[in-house]
Amino acid sequence: MQLFNRPDRTRRLLHAFRTNFLFLISDGAYPPHRQQRLYRWCQKVGLDWAHARAHVAPEATTFLQSVIQRSVNDGAIAPEEMQNLQRLRRRLGLPEDVEPMTRLYDLVERKIEHLLVERAAYLSEEHVVRRLTEQIGAHIISRRSARSVFSVCCNSSTRMRD
């Protein structure tokens, strides 16, 4: 019998990490001090931090989705909320293109598109409305451009509403 079974130990540690992670997010929050607590625990027991976070990626993604849902329930999302969601995504070790964030970006892009067309229509310049509608329909306004427009809108402290 082997006294030190590395794969079994790692499996048990990953299970313990998942249990700890789920406990720490059970109240719907994951502030930096909780991340530090998990990180220090990983260092103490010799568990690779990246491997541990990858192990709980499905739970982290579900958690991020629930936080995003709470953030957009009122039909508006403030710039500070977007920044906080980005920070949370990074703390969870999730990539920028993780599904919940991609859906959020799509929602924000649709809001921006709607606002652009609405503002152009308000100016009563039919050719501007038509051109913007065509560009949006053809996706000439790329995700990066839409995010840039969104950041400009955010910096002016406006809230996006339906």
Side-chain angles (χ1 to χ4, degrees):
M1 184 171 135
Q2 223 178 2
L3 291 177
F4 184 69
N5 186 345
R6 180 76 178 156
D8 185 53
R9 180 179 184 274
T10 301
R11 186 179 46 77
R12 284 185 288 112
L13 288 174
L14 288 171
H15 178 73
F17 181 85
R18 174 177 277 128
T19 302
N20 291 334
F21 175 75
L22 292 173
F23 175 74
L24 290 175
I25 65 169
S26 64
D27 67 349
Y30 187 59
H33 72 274
R34 291 182 186 174
Q35 177 193 23
Q36 284 301 313
R37 185 173 171 184
L38 281 174
Y39 179 75
R40 284 193 303 270
W41 181 81
C42 283
Q43 286 183 319
K44 179 180 174 184
V45 299
L47 185 61
D48 180 68
W49 176 241
H51 187 196
R53 291 199 315 174
H55 184 70
V56 297
E59 292 87 351
T61 302
T62 301
F63 174 69
L64 179 62
Q65 176 60 44
S66 69
V67 173
I68 289 172
Q69 189 60 46
R70 284 193 313 264
S71 294
V72 298
N73 269 345
D74 64 356
I77 188 158
E80 299 81 28
E81 289 174 304
M82 282 295 290
Q83 292 169 349
N84 289 337
L85 290 171
Q86 281 291 352
R87 283 188 207 105
L88 175 62
R89 179 198 54 79
R90 286 191 297 272
R91 269 197 310 281
L92 292 168
L94 298 172
E96 186 172 338
D97 63 349
V98 69
E99 169 83 25
M101 291 304 290
T102 303
R103 284 196 312 248
L104 178 61
Y105 293 145
D106 289 342
L107 175 69
V108 169
E109 286 175 11
R110 284 192 305 273
K111 292 284 190 177
I112 290 170
E113 291 167 4
H114 177 75
L115 286 172
L116 286 172
V117 171
E118 185 181 275
R119 298 271 161 68
Y122 177 76
L123 295 173
S124 300
E125 295 190 27
E126 197 172 314
H127 72 283
V128 174
V129 174
R130 195 175 328 106
R131 194 172 87 229
L132 274 174
T133 304
E134 289 169 2
Q135 288 177 342
I136 290 168
H139 299 290
I140 292 172
I141 298 178
S142 69
R143 287 185 187 273
R144 176 171 275 150
S145 298
R147 287 186 187 137
S148 298
V149 170
F150 177 70
S151 67
V152 169
C153 292
C154 292
N155 289 338
S156 65
S157 299
T158 59
R159 288 180 61 93
M160 297 174 54
R161 296 216 177 265
D162 285 328

